[in-house]
Amino acid sequence: MTHPNATPGERRRVRIREVGPRDGFQNEPETVPTADKIRLINMLGQAGFTRIEVASFVRPDVIPQLADGVEVLRGIDLPAGVERMVLVPNSKGLDNALRHREYFESVALFVSASQTHNKRNINRTVEETMADVAVMGRRIVAEGLRLCAVIATSFGCPYEGEVPLGRVLDLAEQFAEAGAAEIGFGDTTGMANPAYAGRFFAAALERLPGVEVTAHFHNTRGQGLANAYAALEAGCTSFESSFGELGGCPVPARSTGNIATEDLVSMFHEMGVDTGLDLDKVIEAARTAQQILGRTLTSHSIIAGPVPWARAATH
Ligand code: ZN
C-alpha cells in the first residue's frame, strides 16, 4: 500500500546505513552485554540493512562500551552482501583492525571540521589527523576495503560556532584524494537547519563527483528529519541513522540523539521513497533495544507504530 499522495512513476531509492551498534551504543551510558549486541545486530540484518556500522577499534579504556568489538564481529550472523563497517581512530586502531580483516568490508575514518572539537574529541589537530588519513587511506584501499570518511561538526561546532562550508568541502576533497569512496557529513551536535542542509548537500554533490555523499543528522534540536528531507531534495540518496534514536556525541555532554532509523524509514516510505527495509522489523529491533536498556527511548515510531502505507519494503 502506498500513500494516496505518493506520485506514481516517481519512486526514488535511498540507502540507509544503520549506525546504532557503534555510534549508538558508544554514546549511551550503559554498556550493552555482548550477547545482546549480537542479537540486536542480527535483528537489524533481518530488517534488510545492507550497511551496518558494527564496531570500532578505539582503545577500550577510552570507550569501554565498545571494548567487545571483535567478539561482536565474530558473533554476528548477517545475510550475505551486508557491508559491515568498523570505525578506526588512528594508525594503531587500523593495525588492530587489520588483524581481523575477514570480519568487515569497510572502514570509517573521521575528523572534525572544527579544530576545537577535533582536539577535544581525539586530542589532535585537524592537520595531524588529515596527515594520518592520507597514509591510512592508502593502506585501507590496498587491503581491498571500502574507505568511508566521516566529517564531524560539518554544520556547526558547539565550541567555535559557524563552520564554513568551504572548509568542510576542502577536507572532503582531501579524503577523496586519500581514496574515500564515500564521505559522510555529520551534524554531530544537531546544529543544522533544513535550509542550510539543502544548500550544503547541493554544494557537496557538485564538488565531489564520483564520491558517494552521505547525510548523518542528529536530532539534538528536533530538526533531524527536516534536515534529511532537505538533503534528499538536494539529491542526496545516502543516509545514516540509529535505531531507537540511540547515540549522540561524547563531547560536549548532552549532545544526544542520532535521528531514529525507524522515523527516517517511516518518513521515506510515506513519501514513496524506497529504502529496501522492513519497517516493522526495524521497530521491533528498536523496541528490543529499549527492553535491554530498561528505559524509554526517544524515537517516535516505537511509540506510535507505523502508518499502514509505510510498512512495505519495496524495491
Ligand atoms: Zn551520529
Side-chain angles (χ1 to χ4, degrees):
M1 193 194 299
T2 51
H3 188 279
N5 292 332
T7 316
E10 276 194 11
R11 293 198 79 84
R12 288 180 283 181
R13 179 164 178 109
V14 296
R15 294 167 299 282
I16 298 177
R17 176 180 289 109
E18 172 55 54
V19 299
R22 201 287 303 169
D23 193 344
F25 293 153
Q26 170 178 337
N27 295 304
E28 294 298 325
E30 302 91 346
T31 299
V32 179
T34 309
D36 288 330
K37 284 182 185 169
I38 291 169
R39 178 157 68 107
L40 288 168
I41 295 167
N42 288 346
M43 288 180 82
L44 294 166
Q46 292 304 316
F49 288 98
T50 53
R51 294 171 165 181
I52 303 177
E53 187 180 30
V54 175
S56 80
F57 284 87
V58 290
R59 272 169 42 199
D61 55 317
V62 179
I63 303 185
Q65 289 94 329
L66 299 182
D68 58 356
V70 174
E71 279 172 84
V72 172
L73 284 164
R74 283 201 178 115
I76 54 176
D77 182 15
L78 295 171
V82 177
E83 184 194 288
R84 300 162 293 181
M85 185 163 91
V86 299
L87 184 83
V88 163
N90 50 37
S91 302
K92 233 176 164 174
L94 183 59
D95 292 341
N96 197 3
L98 291 178
R99 277 183 220 121
H100 309 280
R101 163 75 184 79
E102 68 269 39
Y103 296 114
F104 53 90
E105 289 75 32
S106 67
V107 177
L109 300 179
F110 63 96
V111 71
S112 296
S114 91
Q115 200 67 263
T116 314
H117 192 273
N118 205 60
K119 270 275 194 192
R120 297 212 187 179
N121 196 28
I122 53 174
N123 200 27
R124 297 162 83 205
T125 65
V126 169
E127 291 71 25
E128 286 165 346
T129 308
M130 293 310 290
D132 263 11
V133 158
V135 180
M136 288 192 287
R138 274 197 295 276
R139 290 180 66 195
I140 290 163
V141 173
E143 285 285 341
L145 291 157
R146 189 164 186 266
L147 171 59
C148 304
V150 178
I151 304 180
T153 64
S154 283
F155 302 87
C157 169
Y159 308 110
E160 294 180 15
E162 200 184 329
V163 174
L165 174 58
R167 176 175 171 79
V168 181
L169 296 184
D170 286 348
L171 289 169
E173 274 191 346
Q174 288 179 50
F175 271 117
E177 280 161 21
E182 177 184 341
I183 299 174
F185 296 96
D187 188 17
T188 314
T189 58
M191 294 175 79
N193 67 71
Y196 184 63
R199 285 201 301 278
F200 183 102
F201 276 92
L205 286 160
E206 198 182 309
R207 181 91 174 260
L208 299 163
V211 176
E212 184 171 8
V213 169
T214 297
H216 180 119
F217 289 114
H218 281 212
N219 206 29
T220 321
R221 292 176 178 84
Q223 297 184 47
L225 282 191
N227 291 334
Y229 175 69
L232 176 81
E233 290 299 305
C236 177
T237 54
S238 175
F239 294 84
E240 291 184 337
S241 56
S242 180
F243 72 130
E245 207 171 280
L246 292 166
C249 180
V251 287
R254 296 187 304 282
S255 306
T256 52
N258 287 282
I259 51 173
T261 304
E262 55 275 23
D263 292 347
L264 183 68
V265 172
S266 181
M267 180 180 81
F268 282 149
H269 286 188
E270 288 179 59
M271 291 166 57
V273 176
D274 294 344
T275 65
L277 292 161
D278 182 327
L279 179 56
D280 283 314
K281 288 188 177 171
V282 181
I283 292 175
E284 201 185 316
R287 285 184 177 147
T288 306
Q290 185 169 249
Q291 264 168 21
I292 289 166
L293 292 170
R295 60 185 162 82
T296 307
L297 299 178
T298 46
S299 120
H300 294 278
S301 300
I302 54 176
I303 299 164
V307 294
W309 48 78
R311 285 208 154 95
T314 42
H315 291 271

